[in-house]
């Protein structure tokens, strides 16, 4: 045992046991020392501190399931955590804001239910959108399910795509045609379930390809701005101008799944616009195009 004096007549005593043969006191010094140190607790997992990008599409072109900013009216009667889900669920209020987003902890998969009479009809819409923030995930699958017939269609973002990154909002824009291609039997005009999938094989076997096995599971996901929209309503984004290293730089927000070109005229009376640089592939971030001086 080790006695530790705290002053006065009292002392605190700690005991420990060693396993193995006793050392010879005459040669103990040659055997080295045992150092007892305070345990260092693991660093806490970073949490979300900033809101997702505020949607800019008009309400007339959006069917919203969930948005924390209040820009859109959300569809009623949606259960965001079905009883058969494999995750922890809560609503998380971003510090310093009134935005409450969906939080799924230790998620393998989570089911969202919106059965008849609140089933979702995607007629007139051609894309699905969701904003995702994760501190520790590297993959996500999104599954749309019709019930009559029961037909799931899942679009996956496995690790090999690099689409799911950590500590920043990721905007996912998926053409509904991609879901239809995965399962033509899915009735997109009568959807009644949505699944967030974060394991290699979903509960119904319609999960990630077994060829992509570099998965982190389970993981925590914060989700906001879940909606369907029509891409025909997209407008040209606002351009911001500035100087960078002596060149003229135009920056603009982008949406995943869309290509952007900056065009110019040397004289506003010219009949034809010319393209500046190459087309930019949208990825949900602000991107830029540079024009040389002159």
């Amino acid at each position: 045992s080790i006695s530790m004096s705290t002053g006065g007549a009292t002392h605190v005593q700690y005991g420990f046991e060693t396993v193995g043969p006793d050392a010879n006191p005459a040669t103990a010094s040659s055997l080295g020392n045992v150092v007892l140190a305070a345990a260092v607790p693991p660093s806490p997992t970073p949490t979300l501190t900033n809101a997702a990008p505020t949607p800019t599409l008009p309400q007339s072109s959006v069917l919203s399931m969930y948005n924390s900013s209040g820009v859109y009216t959300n569809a009623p009667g949606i259960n965001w955590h079905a009883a058969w889900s494999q995750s922890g669920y809560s609503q998380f209020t971003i510090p310093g804001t009134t935005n409450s987003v969906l939080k799924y902890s230790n998620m393998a998969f989570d089911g969202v239910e919106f059965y008849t009479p609140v089933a979702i009809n995607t007629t007139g819409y051609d894309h699905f959108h969701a904003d995702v923030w994760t501190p520790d995930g590297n993959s996500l699958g999104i599954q749309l399910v019709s019930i009559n017939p029961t037909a799931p269609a899942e679009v996956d973002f496995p690790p090999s795509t690099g689409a799911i990154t950590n500590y920043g909002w990721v905007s996912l824009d998926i053409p509904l045609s991609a879901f239809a291609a995965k399962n033509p039997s899915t009735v997109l005009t009568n959807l009644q379930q949505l699944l967030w999938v974060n394991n290699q094989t979903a509960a119904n076997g319609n999960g990630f390809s077994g060829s992509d096995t570099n998965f982190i599971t389970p993981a925590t996901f914060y989700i906001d701005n879940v909606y369907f929209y029509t891409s025909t309503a997209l407008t040209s984004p606002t351009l911001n101008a500035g100087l960078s290293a002596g060149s003229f730089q135009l920056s603009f927000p982008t949406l995943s799944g869309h290509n952007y070109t900056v065009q110019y005229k040397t004289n506003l009376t010219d009949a034809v616009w010319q393209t500046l640089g190459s087309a930019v592939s949208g990825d949900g971030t602000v991107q830029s195009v540079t024009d040389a001086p002159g």
Side-chain angles (χ1 to χ4, degrees):
S1 66
I2 301 174
S3 295
M4 181 182 297
S5 175
T6 59
T10 62
H11 67 276
V12 178
Q13 194 171 67
Y14 295 90
F16 66 93
E17 180 183 6
T18 61
V19 178
D22 293 332
N24 185 339
T27 59
S29 59
S30 65
L31 302 178
N33 300 311
V34 175
V35 178
L36 303 180
V40 178
S43 299
T45 300
T47 57
L48 178 61
T49 59
N50 63 299
T54 302
T56 58
L57 294 174
Q59 172 74 75
S60 59
S61 66
V62 171
L63 192 169
S64 177
M65 297 181 66
Y66 190 91
N67 76 113
S68 67
S69 61
V71 171
Y72 306 131
T73 299
N74 294 325
I78 298 178
N79 175 15
W80 287 99
H81 183 60
W84 40 270
S85 302
Q86 290 188 7
S87 75
Y89 168 77
S90 64
Q91 287 200 332
F92 178 84
T93 301
I94 299 171
T97 76
T98 58
N99 296 55
S100 292
V101 301
L102 309 170
K103 179 181 179 182
Y104 297 95
S105 303
N106 298 319
M107 184 175 76
F109 64 87
D110 199 284
V112 181
E113 299 173 328
F114 34 96
Y115 297 129
T116 300
V118 293
I120 286 180
N121 183 348
T122 65
T123 300
Y125 305 97
D126 54 24
H127 277 74
F128 173 88
H129 176 93
D131 288 318
V132 177
W133 193 99
T134 175
D136 52 1
N138 70 348
S139 61
L140 185 67
I142 297 175
Q143 187 176 122
L144 300 180
V145 185
S146 61
I147 297 300
N148 189 18
T150 300
E154 182 172 321
V155 173
D156 299 322
F157 299 90
S160 60
T161 65
I164 305 302
T165 57
N166 301 144
Y167 313 124
W169 284 103
V170 175
S171 294
L172 302 175
D173 290 275
I174 308 171
L176 293 185
S177 58
F179 290 100
K182 288 298 184 74
N183 190 346
S185 298
T186 304
V187 183
L188 295 175
T189 58
N190 188 29
L191 296 174
Q192 300 189 45
Q193 287 181 358
L194 161 69
L195 276 76
W196 312 113
V197 181
N198 183 45
N199 56 3
Q200 187 172 347
T201 304
N204 58 9
N206 189 34
F208 295 119
S209 167
S211 62
D212 196 334
T213 57
N214 184 28
F215 291 86
I216 299 173
T217 182
T220 295
F221 289 85
Y222 300 83
I223 299 176
D224 197 2
N225 298 328
V226 183
Y227 57 80
F228 298 89
Y229 68 93
T230 174
S231 60
T232 57
L234 295 177
T235 58
S236 298
T238 301
L239 291 170
N240 292 307
L243 290 175
S244 175
S247 295
F248 192 65
Q249 189 174 68
L250 294 167
S251 59
F252 47 92
T254 66
L255 288 174
S256 297
H258 298 274
N259 293 323
Y260 297 78
T261 57
V262 176
Q263 296 185 323
Y264 71 95
K265 292 181 178 182
T266 56
N267 191 312
L268 289 178
T269 60
D270 291 348
V272 179
W273 288 89
Q274 301 180 63
T275 298
L276 179 64
S278 302
V280 174
S281 297
D283 61 1
T285 67
V286 174
Q287 299 205 47
S288 62
V289 171
T290 301
D291 190 16

